[in-house]
PDB file of all heavy atoms in Angstrom:
ATOM      1  N   ASP A  85       7.538 -40.901 -54.042  1.00 93.00           N
ATOM      2  CA  ASP A  85       8.073 -42.094 -53.384  1.00 93.00           C
ATOM      3  C   ASP A  85       9.519 -41.848 -52.929  1.00 93.00           C
ATOM      4  O   ASP A  85       9.912 -42.236 -51.821  1.00 93.00           O
ATOM      5  CB  ASP A  85       8.012 -43.289 -54.333  1.00 93.00           C
ATOM      6  CG  ASP A  85       8.495 -44.570 -53.682  1.00 93.00           C
ATOM      7  OD1 ASP A  85       7.882 -44.992 -52.686  1.00 93.00           O
ATOM      8  OD2 ASP A  85       9.497 -45.137 -54.169  1.00 93.00           O
ATOM      9  N   PHE A  86      10.283 -41.183 -53.782  1.00 90.00           N
ATOM     10  CA  PHE A  86      11.669 -40.857 -53.443  1.00 90.00           C
ATOM     11  C   PHE A  86      11.718 -39.951 -52.216  1.00 90.00           C
ATOM     12  O   PHE A  86      12.523 -40.148 -51.303  1.00 90.00           O
ATOM     13  CB  PHE A  86      12.353 -40.181 -54.627  1.00 90.00           C
ATOM     14  CG  PHE A  86      13.735 -39.679 -54.340  1.00 90.00           C
ATOM     15  CD1 PHE A  86      14.823 -40.536 -54.399  1.00 90.00           C
ATOM     16  CD2 PHE A  86      13.954 -38.344 -54.014  1.00 90.00           C
ATOM     17  CE1 PHE A  86      16.105 -40.071 -54.122  1.00 90.00           C
ATOM     18  CE2 PHE A  86      15.223 -37.875 -53.743  1.00 90.00           C
ATOM     19  CZ  PHE A  86      16.307 -38.739 -53.805  1.00 90.00           C
ATOM     20  N   LEU A  87      10.841 -38.952 -52.153  1.00 90.00           N
ATOM     21  CA  LEU A  87      10.823 -38.022 -51.028  1.00 90.00           C
ATOM     22  C   LEU A  87      10.404 -38.712 -49.738  1.00 90.00           C
ATOM     23  O   LEU A  87      10.896 -38.370 -48.652  1.00 90.00           O
ATOM     24  CB  LEU A  87       9.892 -36.847 -51.339  1.00 90.00           C
ATOM     25  CG  LEU A  87      10.353 -35.914 -52.467  1.00 90.00           C
ATOM     26  CD1 LEU A  87       9.295 -34.860 -52.741  1.00 90.00           C
ATOM     27  CD2 LEU A  87      11.688 -35.254 -52.113  1.00 90.00           C
ATOM     28  N   ASN A  88       9.489 -39.683 -49.846  1.00 92.00           N
ATOM     29  CA  ASN A  88       9.101 -40.453 -48.663  1.00 92.00           C
ATOM     30  C   ASN A  88      10.298 -41.204 -48.086  1.00 92.00           C
ATOM     31  O   ASN A  88      10.483 -41.275 -46.862  1.00 92.00           O
ATOM     32  CB  ASN A  88       7.988 -41.435 -49.001  1.00 92.00           C
ATOM     33  CG  ASN A  88       6.639 -40.753 -49.176  1.00 92.00           C
ATOM     34  OD1 ASN A  88       6.389 -39.709 -48.568  1.00 92.00           O
ATOM     35  ND2 ASN A  88       5.772 -41.331 -49.983  1.00 92.00           N
ATOM     36  N   LYS A  89      11.108 -41.766 -48.977  1.00 91.00           N
ATOM     37  CA  LYS A  89      12.301 -42.479 -48.519  1.00 91.00           C
ATOM     38  C   LYS A  89      13.311 -41.508 -47.906  1.00 91.00           C
ATOM     39  O   LYS A  89      13.955 -41.824 -46.905  1.00 91.00           O
ATOM     40  CB  LYS A  89      12.934 -43.232 -49.687  1.00 91.00           C
ATOM     41  CG  LYS A  89      12.071 -44.374 -50.204  1.00 91.00           C
ATOM     42  CD  LYS A  89      12.699 -45.052 -51.415  1.00 91.00           C
ATOM     43  CE  LYS A  89      11.813 -46.183 -51.927  1.00 91.00           C
ATOM     44  NZ  LYS A  89      12.376 -46.814 -53.169  1.00 91.00           N
ATOM     45  N   GLN A  90      13.439 -40.312 -48.513  1.00 89.00           N
ATOM     46  CA  GLN A  90      14.348 -39.315 -47.958  1.00 89.00           C
ATOM     47  C   GLN A  90      13.897 -38.879 -46.565  1.00 89.00           C
ATOM     48  O   GLN A  90      14.716 -38.616 -45.682  1.00 89.00           O
ATOM     49  CB  GLN A  90      14.425 -38.101 -48.891  1.00 89.00           C
ATOM     50  CG  GLN A  90      15.061 -38.379 -50.237  1.00 89.00           C
ATOM     51  CD  GLN A  90      16.473 -38.909 -50.103  1.00 89.00           C
ATOM     52  OE1 GLN A  90      17.338 -38.275 -49.527  1.00 89.00           O
ATOM     53  NE2 GLN A  90      16.705 -40.094 -50.651  1.00 89.00           N
ATOM     54  N   GLU A  91      12.567 -38.798 -46.388  1.00 90.00           N
ATOM     55  CA  GLU A  91      12.043 -38.409 -45.083  1.00 90.00           C
ATOM     56  C   GLU A  91      12.469 -39.402 -44.008  1.00 90.00           C
ATOM     57  O   GLU A  91      12.859 -39.013 -42.900  1.00 90.00           O
ATOM     58  CB  GLU A  91      10.521 -38.323 -45.136  1.00 90.00           C
ATOM     59  CG  GLU A  91       9.885 -37.916 -43.818  1.00 90.00           C
ATOM     60  CD  GLU A  91       8.372 -37.882 -43.885  1.00 90.00           C
ATOM     61  OE1 GLU A  91       7.796 -38.486 -44.811  1.00 90.00           O
ATOM     62  OE2 GLU A  91       7.768 -37.249 -43.006  1.00 90.00           O
ATOM     63  N   GLN A  92      12.422 -40.706 -44.335  1.00 91.00           N
ATOM     64  CA  GLN A  92      12.823 -41.725 -43.372  1.00 91.00           C
ATOM     65  C   GLN A  92      14.309 -41.629 -43.067  1.00 91.00           C
ATOM     66  O   GLN A  92      14.744 -41.769 -41.912  1.00 91.00           O
ATOM     67  CB  GLN A  92      12.490 -43.123 -43.907  1.00 91.00           C
ATOM     68  CG  GLN A  92      12.789 -44.240 -42.919  1.00 91.00           C
ATOM     69  CD  GLN A  92      12.013 -44.078 -41.631  1.00 91.00           C
ATOM     70  OE1 GLN A  92      10.795 -43.962 -41.643  1.00 91.00           O
ATOM     71  NE2 GLN A  92      12.720 -44.069 -40.502  1.00 91.00           N
ATOM     72  N   ILE A  93      15.104 -41.355 -44.107  1.00 88.00           N
ATOM     73  CA  ILE A  93      16.545 -41.196 -43.908  1.00 88.00           C
ATOM     74  C   ILE A  93      16.828 -40.030 -42.971  1.00 88.00           C
ATOM     75  O   ILE A  93      17.656 -40.113 -42.056  1.00 88.00           O
ATOM     76  CB  ILE A  93      17.254 -40.988 -45.266  1.00 88.00           C
ATOM     77  CG1 ILE A  93      17.188 -42.278 -46.097  1.00 88.00           C
ATOM     78  CG2 ILE A  93      18.703 -40.549 -45.069  1.00 88.00           C
ATOM     79  CD1 ILE A  93      17.703 -42.121 -47.513  1.00 88.00           C
ATOM     80  N   ILE A  94      16.112 -38.917 -43.180  1.00 88.00           N
ATOM     81  CA  ILE A  94      16.322 -37.732 -42.350  1.00 88.00           C
ATOM     82  C   ILE A  94      15.866 -37.991 -40.914  1.00 88.00           C
ATOM     83  O   ILE A  94      16.520 -37.561 -39.956  1.00 88.00           O
ATOM     84  CB  ILE A  94      15.579 -36.526 -42.961  1.00 88.00           C
ATOM     85  CG1 ILE A  94      16.272 -36.107 -44.263  1.00 88.00           C
ATOM     86  CG2 ILE A  94      15.538 -35.353 -41.979  1.00 88.00           C
ATOM     87  CD1 ILE A  94      15.530 -35.071 -45.048  1.00 88.00           C
ATOM     88  N   GLU A  95      14.759 -38.711 -40.751  1.00 91.00           N
ATOM     89  CA  GLU A  95      14.297 -39.035 -39.399  1.00 91.00           C
ATOM     90  C   GLU A  95      15.347 -39.859 -38.656  1.00 91.00           C
ATOM     91  O   GLU A  95      15.584 -39.670 -37.452  1.00 91.00           O
ATOM     92  CB  GLU A  95      12.973 -39.786 -39.458  1.00 91.00           C
ATOM     93  CG  GLU A  95      11.781 -38.894 -39.819  1.00 91.00           C
ATOM     94  CD  GLU A  95      10.475 -39.663 -39.864  1.00 91.00           C
ATOM     95  OE1 GLU A  95      10.511 -40.904 -39.695  1.00 91.00           O
ATOM     96  OE2 GLU A  95       9.420 -39.034 -40.066  1.00 91.00           O
ATOM     97  N   ASN A  96      15.992 -40.782 -39.378  1.00 88.00           N
ATOM     98  CA  ASN A  96      17.053 -41.581 -38.763  1.00 88.00           C
ATOM     99  C   ASN A  96      18.233 -40.699 -38.371  1.00 88.00           C
ATOM    100  O   ASN A  96      18.848 -40.896 -37.311  1.00 88.00           O
ATOM    101  CB  ASN A  96      17.516 -42.682 -39.728  1.00 88.00           C
ATOM    102  CG  ASN A  96      16.447 -43.737 -39.963  1.00 88.00           C
ATOM    103  OD1 ASN A  96      15.527 -43.897 -39.162  1.00 88.00           O
ATOM    104  ND2 ASN A  96      16.551 -44.450 -41.059  1.00 88.00           N
ATOM    105  N   ARG A  97      18.550 -39.726 -39.232  1.00 87.00           N
ATOM    106  CA  ARG A  97      19.646 -38.809 -38.913  1.00 87.00           C
ATOM    107  C   ARG A  97      19.307 -37.958 -37.690  1.00 87.00           C
ATOM    108  O   ARG A  97      20.164 -37.709 -36.838  1.00 87.00           O
ATOM    109  CB  ARG A  97      19.933 -37.895 -40.105  1.00 87.00           C
ATOM    110  CG  ARG A  97      20.584 -38.578 -41.301  1.00 87.00           C
ATOM    111  CD  ARG A  97      20.726 -37.601 -42.436  1.00 87.00           C
ATOM    112  NE  ARG A  97      21.269 -38.237 -43.632  1.00 87.00           N
ATOM    113  CZ  ARG A  97      21.270 -37.675 -44.845  1.00 87.00           C
ATOM    114  NH1 ARG A  97      20.744 -36.454 -44.985  1.00 87.00           N
ATOM    115  NH2 ARG A  97      21.779 -38.305 -45.869  1.00 87.00           N
TER     116      ARG A  97
END
Side-chain angles (χ1 to χ4, degrees):
D85 183 61
F86 174 83
L87 293 176
N88 285 331
K89 293 177 181 177
Q90 294 302 302
E91 180 182 18
Q92 184 59 54
I93 292 173
I94 290 172
E95 286 180 356
N96 292 339
R97 289 176 184 167

